[in-house]
Amino acid sequence: MSQQPSFIEKYANPTFFMNLSGKIVPWLTALTVALLSLGLYFSMTVPDDYQQMGTVKIMFVHVPMSILAMGAYAMIAISSIGSLVWRHPLADVSAKVMVPIGMAFCFLALVTGSIWGRPMWGTYWVWDARLTSMLILLFLYMGLFAIWQAFEEPSRAGRAAAILALVGSINLPIIKYSVIWWNTLHQTASVLDAAKITKPALDKAYLPAFFTMLIAFSLLLVLLHMKAMRAEILRRRVQARRMRQVEQAGSSATAHMVTN
Amino acid sequence: MFDGKYAGYTFSCYAIVAVVMVVLTVWIVLDERRQQKLLDEFQAQKKRKAEGGEVAS
């Protein structure tokens, strides 16, 4: 008696993902490029802030980078659960390829924040709770990247990386609430806060640019993740074929020796 | 666009983000193409072998 495939087996398998992502990617690319262009236009045409002057424009890249660096890590943690609990191959692929992407976003959040800090705070860096916890996030990304490079066998690397990712996810609420729990130089959230979402502290002149850039960079993150997952699935297929070829060559050599 | 007292800081931020994002995108796109090419080569090799087998038999 043949068993019906489960929902996960039917839809969350590499072949289905390759077919679906192949159709989504061109549309997603067009939408991302259009929104990034619009976001850049909005960003460049906003009026200067009376206190921050032109540096207010840094917010439109710095804040999305910071939010998405944390979002990417959350995605790695969720994928790690899928990888550890269900041993799902796509969860493993998803967690692996998100590491360099999230690392780039985290690096950019730190660099743009540091550059913004120089004219506003008079310094590039302070050991403030928000900045330090963000730096720890970058180190976590670097640790995950090192694990994936260190192991030759993906399943072993996946297990070690998943454990580190889950342990490291404790840093996410620390980053979010660091500006509330501790007295920091970094300001509290102006828009993306439950209490301020209906009445943001940010002037409404900046909201279109901010949200357009946030959505555009979010789509870019999804697009890069999807493309990187496709590359990783293809890499694993190539590796599997190579292994099969080596095994076949080995067995035919053995058969040749036996017959002679 | 980037004018005023702190234009250099603002421009540097946008430039760094643009460079890193372009490098990351190109790296991922090229990696996918390379893997697809390798897989296509394997498939072509398999097809050639199968055709060779048919001719031999």
Side-chain angles (χ1 to χ4, degrees):
Chain A
M1 205 173 84
S2 66
Q3 252 188 337
Q4 284 286 321
S6 71
F7 179 83
I8 289 182
E9 282 167 344
K10 198 173 172 188
Y11 296 109
N13 69 69
T15 306
F16 183 80
F17 174 81
M18 289 301 276
N19 292 336
L20 186 68
S21 61
K23 285 174 193 150
I24 292 173
V25 161
W27 295 100
L28 196 56
T29 308
L31 190 62
T32 307
V33 170
L35 274 177
L36 268 178
S37 311
L38 189 68
L40 273 174
Y41 171 73
F42 284 156
S43 306
M44 293 302 119
T45 50
V46 292
D48 284 358
D49 181 66
Y50 79 102
Q51 271 184 326
Q52 302 197 18
M53 288 170 271
T55 61
V56 72
K57 293 183 176 96
I58 297 175
M59 175 176 60
F60 308 130
V61 286
H62 170 70
V63 180
M65 289 298 143
S66 311
I67 292 170
L68 294 170
M70 291 166 68
Y73 197 90
M75 181 70 198
I76 294 172
I78 293 166
S79 299
S80 298
I81 295 172
S83 174
L84 277 179
V85 179
W86 295 287
R87 303 264 163 114
H88 197 279
L90 271 186
D92 195 40
V93 169
S94 162
K96 182 187 176 185
V97 302
M98 192 55 118
V99 173
I101 302 170
M103 191 160 68
F105 276 73
C106 190
F107 169 76
L108 287 172
L110 283 166
V111 170
T112 54
S114 179
I115 295 172
W116 199 6
R118 183 72 186 94
M120 292 301 106
W121 298 340
T123 179
Y124 285 109
W125 185 263
V126 279
W127 292 101
D128 141 303
R130 171 58 70 84
L131 276 70
T132 310
S133 52
M134 242 356 233
L135 184 66
I136 292 170
L137 184 69
L138 182 67
F139 290 154
L140 281 167
Y141 272 124
M142 289 160 88
L144 289 172
F145 190 75
I147 287 176
W148 277 109
Q149 300 303 310
F151 289 88
E152 218 167 282
E153 204 187 313
S155 61
R156 282 183 67 201
R159 227 166 300 147
I163 291 165
L164 176 64
L166 287 172
V167 172
S169 64
I170 191 74
N171 192 37
L172 295 181
I174 294 176
I175 297 172
K176 170 74 184 153
Y177 295 106
S178 57
V179 286
I180 297 165
W181 293 341
W182 292 285
N183 187 17
T184 59
L185 192 56
H186 195 286
Q187 65 169 77
T188 53
S190 304
V191 185
L192 298 176
D193 189 308
K196 291 174 182 169
I197 199 83
T198 49
K199 204 172 177 237
L202 190 68
D203 191 283
K204 63 175 186 290
Y206 302 122
L207 291 176
F210 174 75
F211 281 113
T212 313
M213 288 295 262
L214 180 62
I215 296 167
F217 279 120
S218 305
L219 290 181
L220 181 65
L221 180 84
V222 173
L223 180 64
L224 291 175
H225 188 219
M226 215 175 249
K227 290 287 279 178
M229 277 182 77
R230 288 175 61 83
E232 183 61 23
I233 290 168
L234 291 170
R235 186 182 350 271
R236 290 184 184 196
R237 285 181 180 172
V238 168
Q239 277 166 356
R241 276 165 178 75
R242 267 198 196 129
M243 289 287 282
R244 216 174 301 152
Q245 213 172 36
V246 170
E247 277 167 19
Q248 277 170 357
S251 60
S252 64
T254 313
H256 186 72
M257 278 165 71
V258 169
T259 49
N260 289 332
Chain B
M1 232 166 102
F2 295 111
D3 48 7
K5 197 177 166 189
Y6 301 124
Y9 293 105
T10 313
F11 175 75
S12 329
C13 282
Y14 277 78
I16 291 168
V17 170
V19 168
V20 173
M21 285 297 142
V22 167
V23 169
L24 186 67
T25 308
V26 169
W27 175 54
I28 291 171
V29 169
L30 289 182
D31 187 34
E32 190 195 351
R33 281 193 192 165
R34 204 170 71 89
Q35 298 308 323
Q36 185 65 63
K37 201 178 156 199
L38 282 170
L39 198 64
D40 290 345
E41 278 170 16
F42 265 108
Q43 251 133 15
Q45 204 179 9
K46 198 176 158 189
K47 204 177 163 188
R48 274 198 305 272
K49 265 188 188 170
E51 280 168 0
E54 269 174 32
V55 171
S57 62

